[in-house]
Amino acid sequence: MNKIFLAAALLPAVCKAFVASDVVADNSLYLKNPTAYIPSQCYTKTRDDRGGLHNPCYTCHTRSIQPNYVNDFGLQLEYALPEAALTNPWKNLFEDRRPRMAKISDDDIITYVSEDNYRKREKLLLSERLSPQAELPAAWDQNNNGRWDGYIPDCWFYFDAEGIDHAPDGHATGWIAFKYYPLPSTFWPTNGSAGNVMIRLPKPFRASSDGRENWLIYRTNLAIVEAVIQQHDVLIPPTDEKLVGTDLDLDGKLGTARRITYIWPRNNGRGIDYAGAAKGQKLAGGLYPLGTEFLHSVRYLQEKSDNSIGAAPRMKELRYMVKRTWRTYAGLEESALSDMKEKDDFPDRHDQFIGNMEQGVNNGTGWLVQGFIEDKSGALRPQSFEETVFCIGCHGGIGATTDSVFSFARKLPSTRADKGWGLQTAADLHNLPEPRVELKGAGVFYEYSYYLMYNRSGNEFRDNPEVIARFFNQDGSVKKSAMQTLHDDVSSLLLPSPERARDLNKAYRTIVEDQDFVLGRDANFAPIQTVHRELKEDEP
């Protein structure tokens, strides 16, 4: 079934220090790689030279939880790719970057990643470039109407202790940062990037019933969304239910609530609802409210004065999603079954997308997706259509997501002193206990330890020697002391050494110089030997 994709995006304007030498981005609607939505990780070899098995596939392809009806756990068993994808299109995986990395000094890369390419003083760099007052580069004006019709960034990254973003004049933008457990995958900082994620609910969720902005109601609705997405009760500070106009703990009276009680569907008229002006808005377990926005900054790594590793000021990417269409359980299930039938009837037919670099791409479940990435000079620019279709591979129909999103379902628990809100930094990972997950019929496991045991490495490509050396002996057996440390402190796994961080930054910098993201954006040093260059149809 053809998927319709339209989107909106967000980012800063480019000041003189970051004006690109070539602001042109490819605005073609033709996909050089027709299967750009199939990630490079899907070409991983799952059997090593000694016959050992590795299964990184389960983190994305799994038995889904409704209202995610994809249930793509079968992809753990075979490379079910269309014919066009049997030759690995991610050619950057096979490039030897070491000679070019050697020409980049440590001082040069440290200086480069320390420069902020998003914000300069009280200016959002790309936002100014995309504003109605600016002269829009012709290559960015997809519909030739003289203005940018995508998302224009308005997050200032001035967060207070509660995670609330403020503009320089002090007004709150509505963006709220939250802390979360990174998904087991290439996206751990030890594999090249650090990041943070923000959520913003639409205006009715930020206002009292009379339409006035009300931060008590906004924080309450954020907690309600947390309960709806994670589908369990959520603790909140003592809250006067009369002030928010909703029975939050569902005890049948408006008193002082200390938790959001999750009951959905409604049972004899008793069930969860939103507060303030959002009361009565569409609500269903596992689905975000209509109009929900997410913003995700993907950053280089930076070495701190104490030799710890954190997120650098420089962004590699800025990713944006907004939920524009409400899909019911029945509609989502019908769509998933239709896609499943089409793949069965026409296994070599690849997905089709409608959209463009300016308005973005619709992921097929109601979300519009848009992104920005560095140009050759290091300034942020809109992603091309093909570069955006790449994002759909993870956010457009796999079993692991909750309403197409990873992060918020993995938010740190409300039992913490900070309730899980605030801008996530590397410091938050230190002494953070390892997450535990329950697998149906198998019990409760340490999530990251489970990933290490079944993947035997720290990323899908199995090319992270630092993680392998930290957690495995030469004979492949597990270092029990390292696993015990991981149980109590996830930073022992997630954060790289300063030397590896610098090398990862250098490797990615060469991709930026080449501007060939359509061939892959993974920061490998040498040609990766643990991925397939060619596959046979339905190869096990």
Side-chain angles (χ1 to χ4, degrees), residues 363-482:
N363 75 343
T365 63
W367 293 85
L368 297 179
V369 178
Q370 192 160 25
F372 302 87
I373 201 163
E374 287 181 282
D375 68 15
K376 191 171 184 177
S377 74
L380 290 163
R381 63 161 174 83
Q383 286 191 157
S384 69
F385 174 56
E386 183 164 338
E387 289 165 347
T388 306
V389 168
F390 165 84
C391 303
I392 305 304
C394 292
H395 294 285
I398 60 174
T401 57
T402 302
D403 198 2
S404 298
V405 179
F406 291 96
S407 56
F408 199 67
R410 302 179 60 84
K411 177 182 169 294
L412 297 189
S414 61
T415 52
R416 290 168 50 98
D418 59 13
K419 305 298 182 186
W421 299 103
L423 186 68
Q424 178 146 303
T425 67
D428 293 304
L429 301 178
H430 288 284
N431 300 313
L432 179 66
E434 185 178 2
R436 304 190 74 175
V437 294
E438 182 176 0
L439 300 178
K440 290 183 179 178
V444 177
F445 294 84
Y446 285 103
E447 184 182 28
Y448 294 166
S449 298
Y450 188 93
Y451 179 80
L452 289 173
M453 289 296 296
Y454 283 89
N455 185 36
R456 316 298 290 183
S457 183
N459 63 3
E460 291 89 335
F461 302 127
R462 310 200 318 277
D463 70 334
N464 188 326
E466 194 167 85
V467 165
I468 294 173
R470 284 181 187 177
F471 289 91
F472 298 95
N473 297 306
Q474 287 189 342
D475 63 0
S477 61
V478 172
K479 293 182 178 179
K480 294 182 180 180
S481 61

Side-chain angles (χ1 to χ4, degrees), residues 171-318:
H171 85 270
T173 64
W175 288 109
I176 308 288
F178 59 91
K179 303 173 184 180
Y180 61 99
Y181 280 109
L183 183 77
S185 72
T186 299
F187 299 101
W188 282 341
T190 185
N191 296 313
S193 301
N196 34 56
V197 184
M198 287 65 66
I199 185 174
R200 179 164 64 184
L201 301 182
K203 288 184 178 180
F205 291 79
R206 301 180 244 159
S208 56
S209 56
D210 61 5
R212 296 181 181 180
E213 185 176 81
N214 186 307
W215 280 91
L216 172 63
I217 286 176
Y218 191 17
R219 296 312 295 258
T220 300
N221 277 325
L222 285 165
I224 294 171
V225 170
E226 182 178 352
V228 168
I229 292 303
Q230 299 185 359
Q231 301 192 54
H232 59 61
D233 293 0
V234 168
L235 298 181
I236 57 174
T239 301
D240 187 343
E241 293 173 319
K242 294 178 182 177
L243 296 178
V244 299
T246 301
D247 183 5
L248 302 174
D249 54 14
L250 301 182
D251 64 354
K253 59 184 179 182
L254 295 182
T256 298
R258 290 174 171 79
R259 71 172 56 242
I260 305 294
T261 298
Y262 177 75
I263 295 178
W264 191 89
R266 300 184 72 83
N267 184 6
N268 294 323
R270 181 171 174 260
I272 193 168
D273 195 2
Y274 295 118
K279 188 175 178 64
Q281 295 256 358
K282 292 178 179 177
L283 184 155
L287 295 179
Y288 292 96
L290 190 63
T292 299
E293 299 169 279
F294 281 97
L295 189 62
H296 177 201
S297 74
V298 182
R299 299 175 182 267
Y300 287 86
L301 303 171
Q302 184 177 50
E303 184 178 350
K304 308 299 183 181
S305 58
D306 60 356
N307 291 327
S308 64
I309 299 300
R314 177 174 291 276
M315 291 185 188
K316 293 179 173 181
E317 302 177 45
L318 188 66

Side-chain angles (χ1 to χ4, degrees), residues 42-296:
C42 289
Y43 290 87
T44 293
K45 293 178 181 178
T46 55
R47 189 180 295 273
D48 62 33
D49 294 338
R50 295 182 294 182
L53 293 176
H54 304 259
N55 182 12
C57 313
Y58 79 89
T59 58
C60 288
H61 305 300
T62 185
R63 294 184 185 275
S64 54
I65 300 172
Q66 76 169 15
N68 183 341
Y69 297 96
V70 173
N71 277 327
D72 58 352
F73 60 92
L75 294 180
Q76 294 181 43
L77 302 179
E78 64 180 7
Y79 297 94
L81 303 176
E83 183 177 7
L86 294 179
T87 297
N88 190 337
W90 305 109
K91 304 304 182 185
N92 281 344
L93 295 175
F94 309 114
E95 182 172 336
D96 190 345
R97 303 188 180 280
R98 290 171 295 185
R100 295 173 65 186
M101 291 167 59
K103 295 179 181 179
I104 304 174
S105 71
D106 288 352
D107 287 343
D108 285 346
I109 198 64
I110 289 171
T111 298
Y112 182 75
V113 304
S114 297
E115 295 174 333
D116 192 337
N117 59 345
Y118 178 84
R119 186 188 66 207
K120 187 175 180 65
R121 301 186 185 93
E122 294 188 359
K123 293 181 179 180
L124 298 183
L125 302 178
L126 185 56
S127 298
E128 289 195 351
R129 200 66 188 281
L130 298 176
S131 72
Q133 294 75 33
E135 183 177 349
L136 191 69
W140 297 359
D141 189 8
Q142 188 80 49
N143 56 9
N144 298 313
N145 67 351
R147 67 174 185 272
W148 176 255
D149 291 321
Y151 184 79
I152 298 177
D154 59 348
C155 181
W156 284 89
F157 286 85
Y158 290 138
F159 294 99
D160 62 22
E162 295 182 286
I164 301 171
D165 178 54
H166 296 271
D169 64 7
H171 85 270
T173 64
W175 288 109
I176 308 288
F178 59 91
K179 303 173 184 180
Y180 61 99
Y181 280 109
L183 183 77
S185 72
T186 299
F187 299 101
W188 282 341
T190 185
N191 296 313
S193 301
N196 34 56
V197 184
M198 287 65 66
I199 185 174
R200 179 164 64 184
L201 301 182
K203 288 184 178 180
F205 291 79
R206 301 180 244 159
S208 56
S209 56
D210 61 5
R212 296 181 181 180
E213 185 176 81
N214 186 307
W215 280 91
L216 172 63
I217 286 176
Y218 191 17
R219 296 312 295 258
T220 300
N221 277 325
L222 285 165
I224 294 171
V225 170
E226 182 178 352
V228 168
I229 292 303
Q230 299 185 359
Q231 301 192 54
H232 59 61
D233 293 0
V234 168
L235 298 181
I236 57 174
T239 301
D240 187 343
E241 293 173 319
K242 294 178 182 177
L243 296 178
V244 299
T246 301
D247 183 5
L248 302 174
D249 54 14
L250 301 182
D251 64 354
K253 59 184 179 182
L254 295 182
T256 298
R258 290 174 171 79
R259 71 172 56 242
I260 305 294
T261 298
Y262 177 75
I263 295 178
W264 191 89
R266 300 184 72 83
N267 184 6
N268 294 323
R270 181 171 174 260
I272 193 168
D273 195 2
Y274 295 118
K279 188 175 178 64
Q281 295 256 358
K282 292 178 179 177
L283 184 155
L287 295 179
Y288 292 96
L290 190 63
T292 299
E293 299 169 279
F294 281 97
L295 189 62
H296 177 201

Side-chain angles (χ1 to χ4, degrees), residues 329-348:
Y329 273 32
L332 291 167
E333 184 175 23
E334 181 181 7
S335 179
L337 292 174
S338 178
D339 281 350
M340 193 182 305
K341 183 179 186 302
E342 175 152 339
K343 285 180 171 61
D344 186 64
D345 292 344
F346 306 100
D348 289 328

